[in-house]
Amino acid sequence: MVGNDIVDLKEAENASNWQRPRWLDKLFTISEKHLIHNSENSFLMVWHLWSMKEAAYKLFIQTNPSRFYNPKGFECSISDNSGVVEFKAFKCFVQTKITSNYIISEAHLEYQKLTSEIIKFTTADYNKQSKELKSRLIEFVGRLHHLKKNEFGVPTLYNGKEALNVSLTHHGCYGAYAIG
């Protein structure tokens, strides 16, 4: 199982106002806010933590099918570009890559080698990005697989015999899939 999340840093800079009063309070725990305020680059730390939370949430709903909103419930701890996210009794491991253009986090229950690809879109149209991302994923795994989403929007690849866990993400000009 796998969860992933990507943040286009230019889009995040242009579209969010993370410094407005109480915004951090709604999304981050006391220890996470401490990381943000004591970071050399608070902007990057906000989006690093956010991508970890989102990746962990996507992994969590694969094992506990449901939909809910509780970002503060997913608590992150970071060591370099790896970390742990905990939600109640759930715990996962997250690898994060930070570039000058994007931050991507991939969550897994135990260390495993993931297959993933990052895509730079040529269009800003969300629906076209989504279609291209799914198309690239199907192209990678082979035409015999079909992408299905359950009632909670969790995607899985089926080939008639087995199911592959997959996570899809896109934001701004970037998208990615991960297969675990």
Side-chain angles (χ1 to χ4, degrees):
M1 294 192 195
V2 62
N4 71 345
D5 189 63
I6 197 163
V7 175
D8 179 327
L9 293 172
K10 190 174 285 187
E11 178 73 15
E13 190 172 16
N14 292 333
S16 77
N17 184 4
W18 65 271
Q19 294 176 315
R20 74 176 186 263
R22 296 183 303 283
W23 192 85
L24 295 177
D25 294 336
K26 292 177 183 178
L27 303 175
F28 300 103
T29 66
I30 291 169
S31 63
E32 291 167 341
K33 288 188 290 185
H34 181 76
L35 286 172
I36 292 166
H37 294 306
N38 292 310
S39 172
E40 288 182 25
N41 187 329
S42 295
F43 170 79
L44 283 180
M45 184 58 72
V46 163
W47 298 110
H48 182 168
L49 292 167
W50 179 256
S51 71
M52 289 176 67
K53 287 174 180 279
E54 282 288 306
Y57 171 78
K58 289 178 181 180
L59 178 59
F60 179 82
I61 63 172
Q62 286 180 22
T63 58
N64 303 275
S66 61
R67 283 272 194 200
F68 61 94
Y69 183 76
N70 185 5
K72 278 178 85 167
F74 288 81
E75 184 154 11
C76 305
S77 58
I78 298 174
S79 175
D80 296 320
N81 287 328
S82 63
V84 172
V85 179
E86 296 182 71
F87 177 74
K88 299 179 182 177
F90 173 81
K91 179 179 180 178
C92 68
F93 304 93
V94 182
Q95 291 295 124
T96 301
K97 179 179 180 183
I98 301 172
T99 74
S100 59
N101 297 312
Y102 59 83
I103 295 173
I104 185 158
S105 291
E106 294 176 336
H108 43 87
L109 294 174
E110 55 191 49
Y111 182 77
Q112 64 190 65
K113 177 71 174 147
L114 301 175
T115 300
S116 60
E117 179 183 8
I118 296 168
I119 300 158
K120 184 163 187 347
F121 297 117
T122 56
T123 178
D125 182 291
Y126 182 85
N127 291 324
K128 288 181 181 177
Q129 289 177 345
S130 186
K131 186 176 179 178
E132 181 181 349
L133 184 59
K134 292 171 187 171
S135 175
R136 296 277 288 273
L137 172 63
I138 295 297
E139 184 180 310
F140 177 78
V141 296
R143 299 273 178 220
L144 298 177
H145 286 83
H146 303 283
L147 185 65
K148 294 182 180 181
K149 289 187 176 184
N150 70 13
E151 71 238 48
F152 302 106
V154 178
T156 307
L157 285 169
Y158 291 98
N159 67 2
K161 296 179 184 176
E162 64 180 347
L164 296 172
N165 294 307
V166 64
S167 184
L168 305 168
T169 181
H170 53 101
H171 180 246
C173 292
Y174 296 93
Y177 63 79
I179 304 168

